[in-house]
Amino acid sequence: MVFRKPPDGGWGWVIVVVSFFTQFLCYGSPLAVGVLYLEWLDAFGEGKGKTAWVGSLANGIGLLASPVCSICVSSFGARPVAIFSGFMVAGGLMMSSFAPNIYFLYISYGIVVGLGCGLLYTATVTITCHYFDKRRGLALGLISTGSSVGLFIYAALQRELIDLYGLDGCLLIVGALSLNILACGSLMRPLESSDSSPPEKPCVDKVPDQYFVYHEKEKTVEENISILEKGYLDEKCVNNMPDFKQGGILNKNVLSSINVNEKDTYKKKVVEQTNFCKQLAKRKWQLYLNYWEETVVLFKNKVFSALFVAILLFDIGGFPPSLLMEDVARSANINEDDYHVPLISIIGIMTAVGKLTLGILADFKWVNTLYLYVTTLLMTGVALFAIPFAKSYLTLAMLSGILGFLTGNWSIFPYVTTKTVGIEKLTHAYGILMFFAGLGNSLGPPIVGWFYDWTQEYNTAFYFSGFCVLLGGFLLLLAALPCWNACANQSSKLPPNTYSYKVASSA
């Protein structure tokens, strides 16, 4: 398959539109799962910590399985993966409407829907990067707002559907809406060269011998005998040898010697192929060792080590509000008549605003993206500490907007990672960080729910969440201080196979 240069337009804008709606349709319900969370609490009567696992798995499993998702998209392409994942998301949502207990929801909603969302996210980002080069940042920014807009709309939509058709009817309708992902996926046409010449037929002379282990056996014994007999008779005619009986004996001797040589050649080829496989396995093992060596080198970078701790603590403490804010309002005995807009919808729309605003700020040369990211972490921690003091809808709505805006720092996280480890190590480092982000997403809401089950109030839970985010922000700030450059300069003479990352102060 021959790919042409990214057009930065044309059909690429169709890809942006369908990718936007794909993220809108797949992430709308999982991100707005806080509305369903209240219904599941009432329906199954389980603890808040146990029930929170459903939403946390749906949002974290895709990040945890990001290496598998990348392999699937690389192997099968974005369009087949998107269509298959559309069936997963829609099927998981519809199956959840028949859930007899909370454990069934762990599988149907948490794992099936979550894994489908992870596959769709990888597919949309990959196909968009294929179509855009110079405008790649703009294109990725546009499609990433699909999930935030989905959160904003689905929060109100799911509440309305629950009032009209109940929890089961809501999940069935939302699952049916997710089938539109199939139409979006079918439009994800791979970027191929339309005027490329058809592939040439492979030339046998250009193929290494080790790939032809069994070519000696392709002809049957009868064919070999006929060829040898013909060759021998021609030679006999030239030499005027009239003794046909003696010639027949010689012919049999020649055939037997040729068969022996054929067996020896076959064994030799098998030995060569075995050695080739051993060398291939050794090469794969060396790549595996190099991967772990590069991982160790990454963690020797103080900023990267602090960044992985920060993203883990941020997702443990910063993700629960998007899931539990509705229950926080109900626990504070806020009158439902005061609800003008669902709190989760406010978080969703402000997250989209935060992504765009922080992304634009990161493009200014005078803005240090690492310090900007640290600032968002510290402000998020302060906002989490303020939640226990909010006793009205207005204050909770303001805090929801602030938290949503600050959660938009996801748009600058790739910038921070690139500045920390360099563009060459971005894929490796980003995969590691996304794994820990998924771990934080999976653990955060259940931990906050367990705190509530233990204390019967949310105050301690959000103090804990705020402490986690502040701790991660301060650790990253300390690692990013310019004073670390002095230590880095002292160790400038490193072995040739190691790398020095001195970008903490220039991020």
Side-chain angles (χ1 to χ4, degrees):
M1 184 179 295
V2 180
F3 293 98
R4 64 173 182 262
K5 184 179 179 181
D8 281 299
W11 190 261
W13 294 119
V14 178
I15 298 296
V16 169
V17 173
V18 298
S19 298
F20 173 89
F21 280 105
T22 297
Q23 293 201 17
F24 170 85
L25 293 167
C26 73
Y27 276 106
S29 180
L31 290 178
V33 73
V35 177
L36 304 176
Y37 172 76
L38 298 177
E39 302 299 323
W40 287 330
L41 284 174
D42 298 334
F44 300 114
E46 300 286 353
K48 295 182 185 294
K50 183 181 290 187
T51 308
W53 270 110
V54 180
S56 62
L57 284 174
N59 288 277
I61 200 71
L63 294 174
L64 288 172
S66 55
V68 178
C69 298
S70 299
I71 293 173
C72 291
V73 175
S74 299
S75 302
F76 304 105
R79 177 156 52 182
V81 170
I83 294 174
F84 175 78
S85 302
F87 281 113
M88 286 186 65
V89 173
L93 290 169
M94 292 179 181
M95 287 169 56
S96 300
S97 64
F98 303 101
N101 51 54
I102 200 70
Y103 303 103
F104 187 90
L105 286 174
Y106 291 163
I107 305 297
S108 62
Y109 198 98
I111 295 179
V112 176
V113 175
L115 186 58
C117 291
L119 288 168
L120 286 169
Y121 176 81
T122 306
T124 54
V125 170
T126 301
I127 192 69
T128 302
C129 290
H130 283 172
Y131 272 87
F132 289 90
D133 183 17
K134 297 179 181 179
R135 300 178 179 178
R136 184 174 296 169
L138 173 62
L140 291 175
L142 290 174
I143 69 171
S144 67
T145 57
S147 57
S148 302
V149 176
L151 170 58
F152 172 74
I153 294 179
Y154 268 74
L157 176 64
Q158 291 185 146
R159 173 177 289 180
E160 189 67 24
L161 290 175
I162 290 173
D163 294 338
L164 294 175
Y165 305 105
L167 177 60
D168 298 342
C170 170
L171 289 171
L172 284 173
I173 294 174
V174 171
L177 289 175
S178 299
L179 289 173
N180 289 287
I181 296 173
L182 306 180
C184 295
S186 64
L187 295 175
M188 294 182 183
R189 186 175 64 196
L191 182 63
E192 299 180 25
S193 179
S194 58
D195 56 351
S196 60
S197 59
E200 298 179 357
K201 294 183 179 180
C203 180
V204 178
D205 297 335
K206 298 180 181 179
V207 182
D209 291 339
Q210 58 265 30
Y211 293 106
F212 289 90
V213 181
Y214 302 103
H215 76 288
E216 303 288 346
K217 292 295 183 178
E218 288 180 355
K219 295 183 178 181
T220 62
V221 177
E222 290 79 10
E223 290 175 341
N224 288 329
I225 292 174
S226 63
I227 292 172
L228 291 171
E229 286 179 344
K230 181 180 179 182
Y232 176 72
L233 291 175
D234 293 341
E235 183 180 0
K236 186 179 68 173
C237 294
V238 172
N239 296 329
N240 295 321
M241 296 180 63
D243 192 352
F244 294 99
K245 183 176 180 181
Q246 184 179 0
I249 296 174
L250 291 174
N251 187 27
K252 292 180 180 179
N253 292 334
V254 171
L255 287 175
S256 61
S257 63
I258 291 298
N259 289 332
V260 172
N261 292 334
E262 186 185 42
K263 292 180 180 179
D264 293 340
T265 304
Y266 175 72
K267 292 180 180 179
K268 183 179 179 181
K269 295 298 182 180
V270 171
V271 172
E272 291 178 356
Q273 182 67 9
T274 303
N275 292 333
F276 174 76
C277 293
K278 289 181 179 179
Q279 293 296 328
L280 182 61
K282 189 181 296 184
R283 203 175 300 123
K284 293 292 185 181
W285 177 251
Q286 188 62 42
L287 291 175
Y288 178 77
L289 292 178
N290 291 340
Y291 175 85
W292 287 107
E293 288 177 1
E294 292 176 0
T295 302
V296 172
V297 172
L298 284 175
F299 279 98
K300 288 181 179 180
N301 180 5
K302 295 181 177 64
V303 178
F304 179 81
S305 298
L307 192 61
F308 116 81
V309 175
I311 191 65
L312 175 64
L313 294 177
F314 172 73
D315 280 278
I316 289 177
F319 176 66
S322 63
L323 176 62
L324 304 174
M325 191 61 79
E326 297 291 331
D327 193 50
V328 171
R330 187 169 71 170
S331 300
N333 297 321
I334 296 177
N335 190 357
E336 293 186 0
D337 295 335
D338 297 335
Y339 275 65
H340 305 291
V341 179
L343 297 175
I344 299 180
S345 295
I346 297 175
I347 294 177
I349 195 63
M350 290 305 297
T351 300
V353 174
K355 286 179 179 178
L356 294 175
T357 304
L358 295 174
I360 293 172
L361 286 176
D363 287 333
F364 289 106
K365 295 181 179 180
W366 52 269
V367 174
N368 187 307
T369 54
L370 183 57
Y371 291 152
L372 177 62
Y373 185 75
V374 170
T375 302
T376 61
L377 295 184
L378 298 179
M379 294 178 65
T380 301
V382 173
L384 290 171
F385 271 113
I387 289 179
F389 300 97
K391 302 300 181 182
S392 65
Y393 172 80
L394 180 60
T395 53
L396 283 176
M398 293 175 60
L399 288 174
S400 297
I402 293 172
L403 288 171
F405 181 87
L406 296 173
T407 306
N409 61 8
W410 276 99
S411 64
I412 64 173
F413 190 72
Y415 287 80
V416 177
T417 308
T418 304
K419 292 292 185 179
T420 303
V421 302
I423 190 65
E424 298 82 6
K425 301 289 182 181
L426 175 62
T427 303
H428 187 183
Y430 199 71
I432 295 174
L433 294 173
M434 287 301 98
F435 175 83
F436 286 103
L439 187 63
N441 273 349
S442 301
L443 294 178
I447 291 176
V448 172
W450 289 331
F451 269 108
Y452 184 92
D453 294 336
W454 179 36
T455 61
Q456 295 302 310
E457 44 88 16
Y458 275 115
N459 294 350
T460 306
F462 282 104
Y463 290 148
F464 169 79
S465 297
F467 172 77
C468 287
V469 178
L470 285 175
L471 178 62
F474 278 120
L475 289 176
L476 185 57
L477 178 62
L478 290 175
L481 290 176
C483 62
W484 290 114
N485 274 347
C487 300
N489 291 331
Q490 293 178 1
S491 59
S492 59
K493 294 183 179 181
L494 297 174
N497 292 330
T498 59
Y499 302 88
S500 175
Y501 302 104
K502 295 185 287 185
V503 297
S505 62
S506 61

